[in-house]
Amino acid sequence: MSQKNEFDLIRKYFAPLAEAEGAFGLQDDAALYSPTHGYDLVLTTDTIIEGVHYLPDTPPEKIAAKLFGVNVSDLTAKGATPKVCLLNFAPHQNVTEGWIAAFADQVGVALKTYNISLLGGDTVAAPDKAMFGLTLIGEVATGCMVQRAGAKSGEDVFVTGTIGHGYIGLEDAKAGRSSLCRDLFEHPQPPLAFALAAAPYISSAVDVSDGLAADLGHICKASGCGMALNISAIPFADEDPMYLMAQLNGGDDYQLAFTAASENYDALMQVAVDHGIQLVKIGHVVDGKELILLDSDGAALKQPFSDLSENGFSGFSHFGSKK
Amino acid sequence: MSQKNEFDLIRKYFAPLAEAEGAFGLQDDAALYSPTHGYDLVLTTDTIIEGVHYLPDTPPEKIAAKLFGVNVSDLTAKGATPKVCLLNFAPHQNVTEGWIAAFADQVGVALKTYNISLLGGDTVAAPDKAMFGLTLIGEVATGCMVQRAGAKSGEDVFVTGTIGHGYIGLEDAKAGRSSLCRDLFEHPQPPLAFALAAAPYISSAVDVSDGLAADLGHICKASGCGMALNISAIPFADEDPMYLMAQLNGGDDYQLAFTAASENYDALMQVAVDHGIQLVKIGHVVDGKELILLDSDGAALKQPFSDLSENGFSGFSHFGSKK
């Protein structure tokens, strides 16, 4: 495919998606955005690479869905409303027009779903592995960003949706099996609207991207606390005991895990009902630094984490860590 | 190199560079930034790939210098002050600690040089070609961003520095020759401080990244005008007539080209002197849509552009275009 053709394709498929005035029709090297007065910006960026973050034969619409899902998930955990994005588009140099059209189509769907303006980005032909990056910027009322630090001993620990569909879904995708887990793995559905409405009741939050155990560990570390989790309360995608630890330590669930004072329980459950979100209390915040798993009798299980990182929690890690 | 080692290296070399409170020590999935009231944000992002944007044996400090240079250049053209950035760091999976240390060291130099806060990013091991992305956000007083649209017939056309060192420098790098052009090609020095001071006198601007002819073409297209350039006035890095057209159409100069009303000539020259910047008037804005080259007698040269794009100007293009 010639350079000219590629340039035309970008203009044909991406420029119509960039409707905001500050995008300058994707013809400029920079974009303009007027932030809302009284709001802070929350910024996140994630890159996904062929063969590292998605299987090589993944269709373009699923790659685009994943790219937006993982970034929206980061803002979901902060209680921030997505506003604008920049797209780094590096498909393989032999990509077809149909591939680009399908990718762009899903970008359009994501922009509409989350009400995000595409402001700019860059395009380049990847000589080997395709690579896609998104920088997403959201807004939250000044001083109101939900943090990882903020959990206090005695508070409840919650999680939305199911845990482990990332792990199970990847296994299904590798085996070529269709499944709901695979759908969720390939097309993450972070509970954004729920998170925005629940934010006032939440003391700390994290999205489940590295694995529930590791991500709750991030809260513990930032908040200076421990947690006791009831393993029977965790809504695993697959209840087979053989796979519980794998699901606890797997990543790519893109659900919201958070802590809240117990007096907010009823309000949070009402917000969950209002947004059609499954919300489960899975444990409580304790003194100390450890994440303890309790069996159905309330007895502590043996430390379940085989690959302990320095803070005592393992998690999905490809190169190092996001960030 | 193991995953654990990589994670430690990122923490060791990049976290100390992220001093801003909103960076959360690079431990979080998102960053916080409070924009200045009364200012617009200007956003730009550029990805550079091994073998596409830099030669495979380029040392890490030069890759980092280029990454920051090209992005700062985009903000320079908008008269925007760089504020915060996100870094997408995807070195080759077999990278050494020394390589990462040298890259990070140059990132630290760039952050200090341009007074930019590193707020976040992501890291991943590239399975094949290394790839580095930067999203840079700057601020400009509301409504004061310098645009491409704004040039008016009769105005002067200026360029800073020299033109063609990008082209000559790439040739020197390929041949393994040391030269000033190669230094400028590998370590772009956009005239940021000059641009910020000159912005009030400028009617339109562009950075010279695609090649002077193509980039002035962007102004012409956006402003609905033409230009007449005096070829003998253009400060070519190499005066050999054989290479003039290549330098005019080459890219990677990262100088500032702009238009200004003639009554601002003296003020602009004073700003240039104050900032130690070479500033040259190379022509003027005319009616029409064409970019005309005039020889030293004022006669129009034959159309010099061999690879005409739709708007009549050629330029450096790898895949399609930035954006």
Side-chain angles (χ1 to χ4, degrees):
Chain A
M1 194 165 291
S2 76
Q3 290 184 355
K4 188 70 191 308
N5 278 344
E6 295 292 358
F7 184 73
D8 288 344
L9 289 176
I10 301 308
R11 191 177 306 180
K12 181 172 171 186
Y13 292 109
F14 288 100
L17 301 177
E19 296 167 350
E21 200 183 336
F24 305 113
L26 302 188
Q27 300 286 309
D28 209 314
D29 287 336
L32 188 66
Y33 179 61
S34 299
T36 311
H37 180 49
Y39 284 75
D40 285 334
L41 299 179
V42 181
L43 305 93
T44 187
T45 185
D46 275 300
T47 303
I48 61 176
I49 303 184
E50 178 189 341
V52 179
H53 301 89
Y54 63 88
L55 300 174
D57 57 352
T58 303
E61 61 274 17
K62 293 185 175 173
I63 300 170
K66 182 123 194 170
L67 184 63
F68 276 82
V70 301
N71 281 284
V72 168
S73 184
D74 286 333
L75 293 196
T76 296
K78 302 302 179 195
T81 305
K83 302 298 277 186
V84 298
C85 71
L86 302 172
L87 174 67
N88 301 101
F89 183 68
H92 190 273
Q93 55 190 354
N94 295 331
V95 77
T96 64
E97 173 163 357
W99 198 101
I100 293 180
F103 187 97
D105 195 50
Q106 181 60 40
V107 168
V109 169
L111 295 175
K112 201 161 283 185
T113 300
Y114 300 115
N115 199 21
I116 298 167
S117 295
L118 175 63
L119 280 192
D122 72 342
T123 62
V124 59
D128 189 64
K129 305 292 181 197
M131 191 182 264
F132 306 95
L134 191 76
T135 295
L136 181 60
I137 301 178
E139 289 185 344
V140 64
T142 302
C144 293
M145 190 185 87
V146 177
Q147 308 229 5
R148 290 177 172 185
K152 284 172 280 294
S153 186
E155 290 185 332
D156 296 333
V157 180
F158 294 88
V159 67
T160 63
T162 59
I163 291 302
H165 55 254
Y167 172 80
I168 304 286
L170 174 59
E171 295 299 308
D172 288 342
K174 281 180 185 168
R177 279 190 299 269
S178 294
S179 72
L180 176 60
C181 282
R182 181 177 174 181
D183 288 349
L184 289 169
F185 167 73
E186 293 179 330
H187 195 145
Q189 309 269 359
L192 176 65
F194 165 78
L196 297 179
Y201 306 109
I202 289 177
S203 61
S204 73
V206 71
D207 72 316
V208 184
S209 55
D210 296 340
L212 181 64
D215 289 315
L216 288 177
H218 296 322
I219 288 183
C220 290
K221 191 178 177 193
S223 301
C225 65
M227 286 181 188
L229 305 183
N230 304 305
I231 192 151
S232 59
I234 297 173
F236 288 110
D238 187 333
E239 295 286 352
D240 186 334
M242 222 174 91
Y243 296 114
L244 295 193
M245 288 306 122
Q247 292 176 83
L248 202 58
N249 291 320
D252 279 332
D253 288 329
Y254 304 109
Q255 293 298 327
L256 187 70
F258 63 90
T259 61
S262 54
E263 62 260 34
N264 292 335
Y265 181 90
D266 290 346
L268 284 164
M269 285 299 164
Q270 187 59 52
V271 174
V273 168
D274 292 347
H275 290 84
I277 292 292
Q278 174 180 298
L279 180 66
V280 178
K281 176 182 163 183
I282 59 170
H284 55 282
V285 182
V286 298
D287 291 332
K289 291 169 153 197
E290 286 188 312
L291 191 69
I292 304 160
L293 281 185
L294 304 175
D295 67 17
S296 50
D297 298 326
L301 294 178
K302 186 165 162 292
Q303 167 59 266
F305 310 111
S306 55
D307 175 28
L308 292 176
S309 70
E310 63 164 7
N311 56 343
F313 308 110
S314 67
F316 176 76
S317 173
H318 33 83
F319 176 66
S321 166
K322 295 199 299 172
K323 275 292 157 62
Chain B
M1 195 164 289
S2 77
Q3 290 183 353
K4 188 71 191 308
N5 278 344
E6 296 292 357
F7 184 74
D8 289 343
L9 290 177
I10 301 307
R11 192 177 306 180
K12 181 171 170 187
Y13 292 108
F14 287 100
L17 301 177
E19 296 168 352
E21 200 184 335
F24 305 113
L26 300 189
Q27 300 286 310
D28 209 314
D29 288 335
L32 188 66
Y33 178 61
S34 299
T36 310
H37 181 49
Y39 284 73
D40 286 334
L41 299 178
V42 181
L43 304 93
T44 187
T45 186
D46 275 300
T47 303
I48 61 176
I49 303 184
E50 178 189 342
V52 179
H53 301 91
Y54 62 89
L55 299 174
D57 57 353
T58 304
E61 62 274 16
K62 291 186 176 173
I63 299 170
K66 182 121 193 172
L67 184 63
F68 276 82
V70 301
N71 280 284
V72 168
S73 184
D74 285 332
L75 293 196
T76 296
K78 302 301 179 195
T81 304
K83 302 298 279 188
V84 297
C85 71
L86 302 172
L87 175 67
N88 302 101
F89 183 67
H92 191 273
Q93 55 190 353
N94 294 332
V95 76
T96 63
E97 173 162 356
W99 198 101
I100 293 180
F103 187 96
D105 195 52
Q106 181 59 40
V107 169
V109 169
L111 294 175
K112 200 161 284 186
T113 300
Y114 299 116
N115 199 22
I116 298 168
S117 295
L118 175 63
L119 280 192
D122 71 343
T123 61
V124 59
D128 189 65
K129 304 293 182 197
M131 190 183 266
F132 306 94
L134 192 76
T135 295
L136 181 60
I137 301 178
E139 289 185 346
V140 64
T142 302
C144 293
M145 190 185 87
V146 177
Q147 309 228 7
R148 290 176 172 185
K152 284 172 280 296
S153 187
E155 290 185 335
D156 296 334
V157 180
F158 293 88
V159 68
T160 64
T162 60
I163 291 302
H165 54 255
Y167 172 81
I168 304 286
L170 174 60
E171 296 298 308
D172 288 342
K174 281 180 185 168
R177 279 190 299 268
S178 295
S179 71
L180 176 61
C181 282
R182 181 177 174 181
D183 288 347
L184 289 170
F185 167 73
E186 293 179 329
H187 195 145
Q189 310 270 357
L192 176 65
F194 165 78
L196 297 179
Y201 306 109
I202 289 177
S203 60
S204 74
V206 72
D207 72 315
V208 183
S209 55
D210 296 339
L212 182 64
D215 289 314
L216 287 176
H218 296 322
I219 289 183
C220 290
K221 190 180 177 193
S223 301
C225 65
M227 286 182 188
L229 305 183
N230 305 304
I231 194 150
S232 60
I234 298 172
F236 288 109
D238 186 333
E239 295 285 354
D240 185 333
M242 222 175 91
Y243 296 114
L244 295 193
M245 288 306 122
Q247 293 177 81
L248 202 59
N249 290 320
D252 279 332
D253 288 328
Y254 303 108
Q255 293 297 328
L256 187 69
F258 62 91
T259 60
S262 54
E263 61 261 34
N264 292 334
Y265 182 90
D266 290 345
L268 284 165
M269 286 298 165
Q270 186 60 53
V271 174
V273 168
D274 291 346
H275 290 83
I277 292 292
Q278 173 180 300
L279 181 65
V280 178
K281 176 181 163 183
I282 59 170
H284 55 283
V285 182
V286 298
D287 291 332
K289 292 169 153 197
E290 285 188 311
L291 192 68
I292 304 159
L293 282 186
L294 305 174
D295 67 17
S296 50
D297 298 326
L301 294 178
K302 188 167 161 291
Q303 167 60 266
F305 309 112
S306 54
D307 173 28
L308 292 176
S309 69
E310 63 162 9
N311 57 341
F313 307 111
S314 67
F316 176 74
S317 174
H318 33 82
F319 176 66
S321 167
K322 294 198 301 170
K323 275 294 156 61

